[in-house]
Amino acid sequence: YPGLDDHWMDVISSQGSSLLSLDLSGSDVTDPGLTNLKDCKNLQALNLNYCDQITDCGLENISGKYSLSNDVLS
């Protein structure tokens, strides 16, 4: 989503445990922005297609916090 960046991640992550899925495709969210999802313990699906600012390191940092499969972390 154009215009969606790390500043919006505070708003999104405020959903906490009620956030079940999130599609950040095409956004400008970065690795540090992903760390805002730490309190979203029930996150089951995360789509990161065309998120050029997210690196393998950022994915590794969040992959241990959720039971997401590789096909969900796309």
Side-chain angles (χ1 to χ4, degrees):
Y1 296 96
L4 181 65
D5 58 19
D6 289 349
H7 299 305
W8 283 101
M9 293 304 290
D10 284 336
V11 175
I12 293 168
S13 64
S14 71
Q15 301 304 307
S17 61
S18 63
L19 184 65
L20 300 178
S21 67
L22 182 59
D23 186 348
L24 297 174
S25 296
S27 70
D28 291 321
V29 173
T30 65
D31 292 345
L34 285 181
T35 61
N36 287 310
L37 298 176
K38 66 181 179 286
D39 294 327
C40 302
K41 305 289 186 206
N42 294 325
L43 189 62
Q44 298 171 8
L46 179 60
N47 192 328
L48 301 171
N49 291 323
Y50 306 105
C51 289
D52 298 333
Q53 305 297 319
I54 296 176
T55 67
D56 289 343
C57 182
L59 292 176
E60 287 176 15
N61 286 336
I62 65 165
S63 65
K65 295 182 170 90
Y66 310 103
S67 52
L68 299 170
S69 64
N70 286 338
D71 51 314
V72 174
L73 269 173
S74 54

